[in-house]
Amino acid sequence: MGDKAANFNPDVFKKTAEEKSNARLKMWLEICAHCGLCADTCHFYLANERDPKMMPAYKAKKVLETINKKNKFDEDRLDDFYETIYGECTMCRRCTMFCPFGIDVASIISMARSLSASQGKVPKELLKAVEGHLESGNQMSITEEEWVDTLEWMEEELQEELPGATIPIDKKGADFLYVVNAREPKFYPMDISQAAMVFYLAGADWTMSRKGWDVTNLAMFMGDIAGATKIAKMVRDAAEELEVKRVVVTECGHALRSLQFESPIWLGRDHQFEVVHSVSLFAEYLREGRIKLDKSVFANERCTYQDPCNVSRNGGCAQDGREIVKYLCEDFVEMEPHGEYNYCCGGGGGFIPMAGAFKERRLKSGKVKAEQIKATGATICITPCHNCYDQLRDLSKEYELGIKVLSFKEMFEEALIIPEELKAKEDDEDEE
Amino acid sequence: MSLYELLRGPLLWVAFGVFFGGMALRVVLFFQLSMQKDKPIYRFFSWKWLWLSIFHWVIPLNETAKKNPVVTLVGFVFHICLIVTPLFLVAHGVLWYESWEISWWSLPESVTDYMTLIAIGSGLFFGIRRMVSPHVRIVTTAADYLLLVVTLAPFVTGYLAYHQYFDYQTIILLHMFFGELMLVVIPFTKLSHFLMFFFSRAVTGMEFGRRNAPSW
């Protein structure tokens, strides 16, 4: 499946490897004791019949051998390297938690991806999305006009039910800027009106932006740090121009990781705003009683929660998701393991947009997640991440799980208790 | 100068020099490179997460220990015997005293004798595990076996010397040689983890910590 290396150049490869080898990577590649304790922490290893070639330390070893100046470097080696770093790791960082030395294999793979990118060898779907993002400001290449139209359309839809609700655009000095995944205006526009509904009911002072509204960052997964930096800067600039206190990230995992934790490193300074994931904001609203949910709506369902790696393990929001669940589900069963220790669903690391053989691998590596879900007996699997969401829907078909995959917003739409005075008065005209 | 005097004198100095100098250099190089290329370590530095990360692994308070009780137990026993035995052995204490008139507490000889056997036995356990477990075998290199031999050789020869099996004069020379060899290779191989472990745990602990997540 390997996409051809657009600019194969061993010298550039070795030079980039030298540049990118920081003190941590050098230390990790040197001290790995080859103990093998990382093997069964990896969903690729477990889902591929415990194939030792799928264990994290083996992948790290392959990176080390590829960048070793003593070894011959040709296109065959690059092909093999490419298959491993893009096709056998979602950079979920689960193995790091279980490594006695705390070796961060995801960092090693991330560095390896930037080496592959230096050869122009990257999955073409990622490249297309990243190029589009850099050009248009979002990964789906939606024009500004289409974007504003979508927001207006969603506002109208929302007002049919809640006449007072609005979707503010470019409101300077708002409490927070809400940023989304470009999949939302493209495929799931209701996500936007659902969020607006929550914010309206909570009495939030919020805004959306004409620019820098797509908080996704596939360049991060592609290994293009320069591109990732530019993409993150679009969101940062929008937020700082609007002088908001916080930026609230939609139910998306890698977007949070990129904006909150990686981009301050790429951009060289802290943001002038706080970054908050939707789950944390929703949990805050529920805790403060600003929104109320009718638990009986899902009383006949058994729910479980898929911790997105970049929300729970790499985003620190594991508890917030659970707090929301308490207000929402009568019958809730945890997957084992869960929280920060949860397995990746297989859709992370840029896998969802990647097609062809990558998709087969994605469905196969999702076997671990499918079995985890099956064991809970759940009928609903909640997940606050677009990649998890798409992957779980595919897994439900592939492994016949018979589950409904829902985001928190989708559940809120049904369970939110709307005060009578805010509801549209349908009867007004029919009264006489 | 006899071979004994050579191993007891100049070569021991060389071994200590390479060991301490090499490790000091490793640390200096880590700081030097990391200050240029690993700025997040310093920007997000946190004593709290540094200590928490080390603490949960210096004692087996982590998920890996729960999941792998046997490897964890053998691993801890192996490392304890490896470090404690040579430092608190009566015979070594005598040598320290002869050289520099310094002395410290030592363990009864019967205890260190068992600890030597345990070190050898647990080392063999890891060697066999390397050979029989497919997932360990695949990441194993020749260096892994050689380093295990280098690590165990001072214990095997030490045991033989203490019990005066074979020719004591030869065995004790081998013992000194292997001990010095081990010290010399540590800074240049994965055995440097005895110190770098703390650096690695610290940086990962802080990286997870700034995301408010545990790394254990």
Side-chain angles (χ1 to χ4, degrees):
Chain A
M1 70 174 144
D3 295 311
K4 282 293 284 173
N7 28 21
F8 178 74
N9 184 332
D11 291 336
V12 170
F13 187 90
K14 302 272 151 146
K15 215 183 109 227
T16 315
E18 192 48 46
E19 270 169 32
K20 299 264 175 190
S21 294
N22 59 33
R24 283 168 293 175
L25 292 169
K26 283 190 171 173
M27 167 175 70
W28 287 331
L29 291 170
E30 203 163 72
I31 65 173
C32 174
H34 306 143
C35 70
L37 289 172
C38 55
D40 63 3
T41 67
C42 177
H43 61 289
F44 278 97
Y45 174 83
L46 294 174
N48 287 281
E49 292 79 39
R50 298 180 165 259
D51 177 357
K53 289 192 169 166
M54 292 288 170
M55 70 185 283
Y58 181 80
K59 297 169 202 169
K61 189 168 161 248
K62 188 174 269 184
V63 173
L64 180 64
E65 283 165 2
T66 311
I67 63 175
N68 188 336
K69 290 194 185 76
K70 285 178 213 138
N71 292 331
K72 200 177 129 217
F73 180 70
D74 54 19
E75 287 204 60
D76 286 343
R77 194 183 268 277
L78 180 61
D79 283 344
D80 181 47
F81 180 69
Y82 172 85
E83 297 295 320
T84 300
I85 61 174
Y86 287 99
E88 292 164 7
C89 177
T90 53
M91 309 200 280
C92 76
R93 286 165 110 225
R94 187 169 194 270
C95 53
T96 308
M97 289 192 104
F98 290 85
C99 171
F101 295 170
I103 294 175
D104 191 350
V105 177
S107 290
I108 296 170
I109 296 294
S110 177
M111 180 271 239
R113 287 189 180 188
S114 60
L115 299 183
S116 199
S118 80
Q119 307 295 295
K121 193 165 172 72
V122 293
K124 54 181 180 295
E125 300 83 6
L126 284 185
L127 184 64
K128 203 177 143 224
V130 170
E131 283 175 349
H133 202 147
L134 288 169
E135 206 172 300
S136 70
N138 65 83
Q139 58 152 301
M140 295 282 163
S141 299
I142 294 165
T143 64
E144 190 176 315
E145 201 188 343
E146 286 167 334
W147 166 242
V148 174
D149 278 351
T150 309
L151 295 184
E152 284 167 356
W153 168 42
M154 281 303 116
E155 187 178 64
E156 281 163 28
E157 291 270 313
L158 185 61
Q159 284 172 347
E160 279 173 28
E161 205 181 335
L162 296 168
T166 55
I167 298 184
I169 302 175
D170 288 346
K171 183 180 168 198
K172 216 166 178 175
D175 177 45
F176 68 83
L177 166 68
Y178 182 60
V179 283
V180 302
N181 181 320
R183 303 177 78 76
E184 294 174 29
K186 188 86 177 176
F187 304 119
Y188 310 103
M190 295 300 284
D191 274 17
I192 297 170
S193 58
Q194 286 155 358
M197 182 174 176
V198 175
F199 301 152
Y200 172 64
L201 293 175
D205 173 21
W206 68 293
T207 186
M208 296 200 79
S209 172
R210 255 170 217 277
K211 293 199 160 54
W213 53 266
D214 180 6
V215 66
T216 63
N217 202 332
L218 290 172
M220 168 174 80
F221 287 142
M222 197 172 80
D224 173 12
I225 300 306
T229 309
K230 283 183 201 148
I231 289 171
K233 194 169 177 295
M234 294 176 192
V235 179
R236 185 186 80 178
D237 288 350
E240 293 185 352
E241 253 167 56
L242 290 171
E243 294 166 16
V244 291
K245 289 181 203 71
R246 311 196 275 182
V247 170
V248 174
V249 175
T250 185
E251 292 181 70
C252 177
H254 86 280
L256 180 76
R257 179 173 179 175
S258 150
L259 186 65
Q260 189 174 6
F261 299 108
E262 314 296 349
S263 73
I265 296 174
W266 306 327
L267 289 162
R269 70 157 165 90
D270 292 342
H271 301 318
Q272 290 168 6
F273 48 85
E274 205 188 320
V275 179
V276 183
H277 193 262
S278 286
V279 290
S280 306
L281 185 74
F282 296 160
E284 181 186 306
Y285 285 164
L286 288 162
R287 202 182 307 138
E288 293 172 358
R290 288 171 70 175
I291 54 171
K292 290 200 165 56
L293 298 172
D294 177 3
K295 232 177 164 178
S296 69
V297 174
F298 298 104
N300 297 324
E301 307 270 10
R302 170 173 284 188
C303 304
T304 189
Y305 181 60
Q306 153 62 10
D307 285 276
C309 303
N310 292 326
V311 172
S312 291
R313 178 164 42 251
N314 300 315
C317 303
Q319 285 321 307
D320 293 330
R322 284 170 176 77
E323 199 176 340
I324 302 173
V325 158
K326 277 189 222 148
Y327 294 94
L328 197 56
C329 312
E330 300 257 10
D331 183 7
F332 176 73
V333 185
E334 288 278 18
M335 291 184 215
E336 290 305 333
H338 58 263
E340 289 94 352
Y341 301 93
N342 202 17
Y343 285 107
C344 172
C345 64
F351 258 91
I352 289 290
M354 280 146 60
F358 284 120
K359 188 179 176 193
E360 279 165 44
R361 292 179 188 193
R362 160 161 76 82
L363 293 177
K364 180 141 198 208
S365 79
K367 193 172 105 185
V368 177
K369 181 57 55 190
E371 280 165 7
Q372 265 191 304
I373 296 174
K374 214 178 256 175
T376 63
T379 54
I380 290 179
C381 183
I382 312 167
T383 192
C385 167
H386 279 279
N387 285 337
C388 293
Y389 188 94
D390 289 357
Q391 168 74 342
L392 291 173
R393 291 205 159 183
D394 285 350
L395 292 181
S396 184
K397 271 181 244 153
E398 180 80 8
Y399 296 95
E400 294 169 4
L401 301 175
I403 48 163
K404 272 181 280 200
V405 180
L406 296 171
S407 66
F408 277 124
K409 286 190 289 285
E410 286 178 294
M411 297 182 80
F412 286 178
E413 189 181 31
E414 293 182 46
L416 272 170
I417 299 172
I418 300 171
E420 279 308 318
E421 67 273 18
L422 298 181
K423 283 186 187 166
K425 307 232 171 1
E426 289 170 29
D427 306 339
D428 279 0
E429 290 123 51
D430 317 313
E431 255 174 352
E432 245 78 45
Chain B
M1 194 186 265
S2 71
L3 197 51
Y4 177 85
E5 282 166 331
L6 188 69
L7 284 164
R8 174 82 174 87
L11 287 183
L12 184 62
W13 280 112
V14 169
F16 276 136
V18 172
F19 172 69
F20 286 110
M23 284 317 298
L25 191 65
R26 282 293 303 269
V27 171
V28 168
L29 288 176
F30 179 86
F31 280 117
Q32 203 182 35
L33 184 61
S34 65
M35 278 190 254
Q36 283 171 31
K37 292 193 176 178
D38 305 67
K39 296 207 169 91
I41 300 177
Y42 304 99
R43 190 162 149 197
F44 303 109
F45 191 87
S46 152
W47 285 109
K48 176 191 156 192
W49 290 104
L50 177 150
W51 288 120
L52 281 174
S53 173
I54 293 172
F55 172 76
H56 280 90
W57 290 86
V58 163
I59 57 168
L61 247 183
N62 50 66
E63 291 299 307
T64 297
K66 276 187 229 162
K67 232 170 68 148
N68 307 278
V70 176
V71 173
T72 303
L73 180 73
V74 182
F76 269 82
V77 166
F78 178 61
H79 282 86
I80 291 167
C81 293
L82 224 51
I83 297 162
V84 171
T85 315
L87 287 179
F88 299 101
L89 187 88
V90 172
H92 286 176
V94 171
L95 293 173
W96 288 113
Y97 190 77
E98 271 181 13
S99 300
W100 297 324
E101 297 199 0
I102 51 168
S103 64
W104 57 82
W105 176 78
S106 55
L107 282 164
E109 288 197 306
S110 60
V111 173
T112 43
D113 204 32
Y114 277 115
M115 287 175 77
T116 305
L117 284 178
I118 293 170
I120 297 167
S122 47
L124 288 176
F125 167 87
F126 285 114
I128 292 166
R129 181 171 172 270
R130 243 182 222 303
M131 287 184 256
V132 300
S133 295
H135 66 280
V136 189
R137 197 169 57 219
I138 198 167
V139 285
T140 296
T141 59
D144 290 321
Y145 287 116
L146 278 174
L147 288 172
L148 189 60
V149 170
V150 170
T151 308
L152 292 183
F155 287 83
V156 173
T157 51
Y159 187 81
L160 296 177
Y162 174 68
H163 291 277
Q164 312 225 344
Y165 293 130
F166 307 110
D167 174 35
Y168 177 77
Q169 297 306 329
T170 312
I171 296 291
I172 199 70
L173 291 177
L174 282 173
H175 176 68
M176 291 158 84
F177 171 75
F178 281 123
E180 288 163 16
L181 180 66
M182 181 169 85
L183 285 177
V184 167
V185 302
I186 286 174
F188 309 102
T189 59
K190 68 167 187 176
L191 297 187
S192 60
H193 76 247
F194 92 91
L195 184 64
M196 301 321 284
F197 163 87
F198 296 95
F199 286 74
S200 179
R201 279 252 56 94
V203 296
T204 295
M206 293 188 290
E207 186 57 30
F208 272 71
R210 77 185 180 98
R211 296 154 198 262
N212 205 22
S215 58
W216 47 85

